[in-house]
């Protein structure tokens, strides 16, 4: 009886582990966003700011493409649901940090003063809602906003499509296995 419970516990942990890891990493990204010294970027170090933005966004895009590739070639040992979700959270925070740093430059944004404002603007832009309370006024802010919109259309839409494709394939496999077993 105890051996059976041990196996059940092990199986439950295997199922829960990716969710626990995903939650911990997501919390770490959010905490890092609020704790990193972003005030030292923007107009104080414009070259460093743009290089960091380009490198981080490129890295996230490359990792997203890799996960999409794993789904397309149907690599069953991968967990794109875990990784893609985290990469989407990371991309949101990369844009938020960039907006926050840009807002330090006079004339770039109207209504964006805090990290919460930057996160709010990023999510509102991602959702294509656009309330109008925060507005990109400067050319750099508008370019980054346009880049976020294009990035969302290309990378995040492809990632969401890959996740739904993977989920559908898993459901079909389980259904076929249940019918034959």
């Amino acid at each position: 009886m105890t051996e059976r419970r041990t196996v059940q516990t092990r199986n439950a942990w295997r199922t829960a582990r990716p969710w626990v890891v995903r939650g911990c990493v997501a919390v770490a990204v959010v905490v890092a966003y609020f704790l990193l010294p972003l005030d030292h970027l923007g107009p104080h170090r414009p070259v460093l700011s743009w290089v960091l933005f380009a490198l981080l966004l490129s890295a996230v895009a490359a990792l997203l493409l890799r996960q999409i590739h794993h789904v397309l070639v149907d690599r069953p040992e991968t967990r794109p649901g875990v990784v893609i979700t985290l990469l989407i959270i990371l991309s949101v925070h990369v844009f938020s940090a960039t907006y926050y740093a840009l807002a330090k430059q006079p004339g770039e944004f109207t209504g964006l003063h805090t990290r919460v404002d930057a996160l709010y603007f990023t999510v509102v832009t991602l959702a294509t809602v656009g309330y109008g309370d925060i507005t990109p006024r400067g050319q750099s802010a508008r370019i980054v906003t346009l880049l976020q919109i294009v990035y969302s259309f290309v990378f995040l839409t492809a990632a969401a499509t890959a996740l739904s494709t993977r989920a559908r394939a898993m459901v079909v496999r389980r259904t076929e296995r249940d019918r034959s077993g």
Side-chain angles (χ1 to χ4, degrees), residues 1-14:
M1 187 72 158
T2 56
E3 185 177 325
R4 185 172 171 206
R5 264 199 193 150
T6 303
V7 170
Q8 287 174 337
T9 303
R10 226 178 275 140
N11 289 339
W13 175 242
R14 280 190 193 127

Side-chain angles (χ1 to χ4, degrees), residues 40-94:
H40 298 296
L41 297 173
H44 304 295
R45 295 188 176 98
V47 173
L48 177 63
S49 300
W50 286 110
V51 168
L52 275 174
F53 174 64
L55 285 174
L56 287 170
L57 204 56
S58 297
V60 172
L63 291 169
L64 278 169
L65 288 173
R66 182 173 182 224
Q67 291 302 309
I68 292 165
H69 178 264
H70 288 318
V71 170
L72 292 175
V73 298
D74 197 26
R75 292 182 75 182
E77 72 276 1
T78 61
R79 293 197 175 267
V82 174
V83 178
I84 288 174
T85 304
L86 292 174
L87 291 171
I88 289 171
I89 291 168
L90 186 58
S91 68
V92 165
H93 285 84
V94 168

